[in-house]
Amino acid sequence: MFYFSVPLGKFVRRVSRLRGGGSALPGLVVEKIDPGFMRRTLSTLPHGVAVVSGTNGKTTTTKMVVELLESQGLKVFTNRTGSNFTRGVAAALLGEVDWRGRLDADVAVLELDEAHAVHFVNQVPPRYCLLLNVLRDQLDRFGEIDKTAQLLQHIAAKTTGTVVLNREDPRVARIAQTLDGPDVLYFGLDDSLLSTFPNDDELRAAPGSPVPPAPPKPHADVVLRRVGAADADFEYDGATATTAMKLRGVYNIFNAAAALTLARAIAVRDTGQGTTALADNDGLLEALAQVAPAFGRGESLVVDGLPLDLVLVKNPSGFRLGLKSFPAAGYATMIAINDNYADGRDMSWLWDVEFDTLREGGVDQLSGSRAYDMALRLQYDDVAIGAVNTEIAPALATFISGAKDKPKRIFCTYTAMLAIRRELSKITTVEVVS
């Protein structure tokens, strides 16, 4: 059947792009006039839909899963812009379907915000889901952390095939106890790496407070055993394999274990002879070695012949891991903090981050709508500040001109990162994400 919503949505998408509008507007239009668009389109995919959700790491993990599955010969649809609301998925679909609404893909791998994922799975039950973690993030939107865990539990309950869980996050691991139907797989960490990834309870525990005994851990399909400067060890199927990694940041490498687990589950296929063929693990590792960071997530650009790294920060855990993964020594540093809706309006979480690693070199430039809140926080950790300018464009220009002879690093919230990338695209090559 021909649906007029598709050509109308494509028209809105074209006009919106010509005017520089938001990528989600066409999806909002189609959602209003054709509520069944997503379910109708995605229900035809042979391998179904996989949803990736959780507090931290959704964009990079989704990118990894997509590239891993493509290495297995699958055609993958994804919401590449990182617009992780349902309207963002609908808008991305409009860019891929033909005029009759048909999608040429084998599987969809979709990054979804925890709250919007609930709305999505009510419309389109996924065959797979990957739930990464539960951390305090945007409490003005989600309320307390257990509410976020409930959102993820709902996603898992709607999943018809396989649920992939982080066994190191107790709130995520406990979801398995509520399920009756889908298969459950886990990804995990070697014990030597656990201190690098504290869960939310450990982050907020008072120093020296007793730690309750941990319950026995379930077997993990993929375990991250070691993280090196440019490689990592993953254990699966009873053996350990080493692979080179372009991804930077220990949190990205842990997310790689999650991506491997989901990709291995999806890539199992029917041979047509009454048997199934397992994933090509060597091919998956080769593909993993080539994955570059998602835009703004440890992305490295070149400005004045030197690297400029963009590191997204949006909650205490993410900022802590960013500071740990990207040492300040030798780099000029800028921090840009906005409090728009997509960033979360409550920025009190900045006080849950320790900035002592920036003390030696200081911070050259602060920007964003909450630049002065960031300045106050840094003063309490005795971190020297070069300049403060709430306007991102002039602040970025001052930062670049003042550090021409040094590599640069910018820690930024989501909307600040988008603004910075727009400005950088005027002076260097920046990947266009559409």
Side-chain angles (χ1 to χ4, degrees):
M1 181 181 294
F2 183 79
Y3 292 85
F4 76 92
S5 58
V6 174
L8 177 60
K10 283 181 172 289
F11 174 75
V12 173
R13 184 174 185 270
R14 180 172 297 179
V15 172
S16 178
R17 287 166 64 86
L18 288 173
R19 298 184 61 182
S23 62
L25 175 61
L28 179 61
V29 171
V30 170
E31 278 189 323
K32 293 294 185 183
I33 65 175
D34 186 3
F37 168 67
M38 285 192 298
R39 183 184 185 100
R40 187 174 64 249
T41 305
L42 295 172
S43 64
T44 64
L45 301 181
H47 288 264
V49 175
V51 167
V52 179
S53 196
T55 307
N56 279 353
K58 295 183 289 291
T59 299
T60 299
T61 305
T62 301
K63 183 176 189 290
M64 283 190 275
V65 174
V66 169
E67 295 187 27
L68 293 179
L69 292 178
E70 288 175 342
S71 77
Q72 305 291 292
L74 295 176
K75 293 181 180 178
V76 186
F77 165 74
T78 189
N79 50 334
R80 188 166 175 266
T81 64
S83 181
N84 55 23
F85 293 1
T86 53
R87 69 194 65 163
V89 175
L93 274 171
L94 285 169
E96 297 294 329
V97 298
D98 63 18
W99 289 95
R100 292 183 176 273
R102 293 174 298 198
L103 179 64
D104 182 20
D106 298 308
V107 62
V109 180
L110 304 174
E111 168 198 351
L112 285 167
D113 165 273
E114 298 94 311
H116 284 264
V118 168
H119 299 297
F120 177 86
V121 300
N122 287 339
Q123 299 176 51
V124 186
R127 188 175 303 177
Y128 307 90
C129 77
L130 167 57
L131 306 180
L132 294 167
N133 43 55
V134 179
L135 297 158
R136 292 177 194 272
D137 178 48
Q138 300 193 27
L139 295 184
D140 51 303
R141 289 182 57 209
F142 294 150
E144 268 304 310
I145 188 170
D146 290 325
K147 172 62 176 176
T148 306
Q150 291 171 8
L151 298 175
L152 296 185
Q153 190 278 329
H154 183 85
I155 300 167
K158 288 289 186 177
T159 301
T160 62
T162 300
V163 173
V164 179
L165 302 176
N166 177 357
R167 77 171 185 188
E168 313 304 348
D169 187 313
R171 286 181 175 82
V172 172
R174 282 198 294 267
I175 289 174
Q177 301 170 12
T178 70
L179 301 178
D180 181 18
D183 296 328
V184 177
L185 296 174
Y186 297 90
F187 63 98
L189 285 169
D190 188 89
D191 287 348
S192 64
L193 296 172
L194 288 175
S195 62
T196 303
F197 296 91
N199 61 53
D200 190 82
D201 294 332
E202 292 166 341
L203 278 173
R204 302 183 69 82
S209 59
V211 178
K217 289 184 181 181
H219 169 77
D221 185 72
V222 177
V223 177
L224 174 61
R225 290 298 183 194
R226 182 189 63 86
V227 177
D231 64 0
D233 291 348
F234 297 94
E235 180 184 310
Y236 52 85
D237 297 339
T240 299
T242 300
T243 182
M245 299 291 295
K246 286 185 178 179
L247 290 169
R248 303 166 64 203
V250 289
Y251 51 90
N252 281 334
I253 311 301
F254 187 29
N255 291 336
L260 275 172
T261 306
L262 179 58
R264 279 162 50 88
I266 296 174
V268 174
R269 59 194 182 279
D270 188 348
T271 63
Q273 301 174 349
T275 60
T276 56
L278 301 179
D280 172 12
N281 289 310
D282 290 340
L284 288 174
L285 288 181
E286 290 174 8
L288 185 62
Q290 298 304 313
V291 177
F295 71 103
R297 278 77 169 177
E299 177 184 25
S300 188
L301 308 174
V302 177
V303 175
D304 295 331
L306 292 168
L308 185 152
D309 299 338
L310 293 177
V311 182
L312 177 70
V313 296
K314 64 190 188 77
N315 53 45
S317 175
F319 213 147
R320 289 179 185 212
L321 286 170
L323 292 168
K324 186 171 185 176
S325 298
F326 300 94
Y331 277 74
T333 301
M334 174 175 171
I335 300 177
I337 304 294
N338 277 350
D339 64 348
N340 297 316
Y341 177 76
D343 306 298
R345 308 307 299 270
D346 180 0
M347 304 308 295
S348 61
W349 61 264
L350 291 172
W351 293 87
D352 292 330
V353 184
E354 295 80 28
F355 294 95
D356 53 290
T357 57
L358 299 176
R359 193 174 294 151
E360 182 176 348
V363 174
D364 300 80
Q365 184 77 47
L366 294 177
S367 189
S369 57
R370 300 297 286 268
Y372 285 98
D373 296 73
M374 189 71 247
L376 178 63
R377 177 67 192 92
L378 291 177
Q379 286 181 345
Y380 273 80
D381 273 1
D382 296 321
V383 177
I385 301 165
V388 180
N389 187 338
T390 57
E391 297 297 321
I392 287 177
L396 179 64
T398 299
F399 175 62
I400 291 173
S401 64
K404 282 187 175 294
D405 59 341
K406 296 178 68 175
K408 304 163 189 67
R409 183 167 294 128
I410 304 177
F411 297 95
C412 44
T413 57
Y414 181 71
T415 63
M417 180 264 291
L418 295 180
I420 289 167
R421 290 182 95 253
R422 283 195 297 270
E423 292 302 313
L424 290 173
S425 69
K426 300 173 184 178
I427 60 173
T428 190
T429 302
V430 176
E431 179 188 10
V432 176
V433 180
S434 60

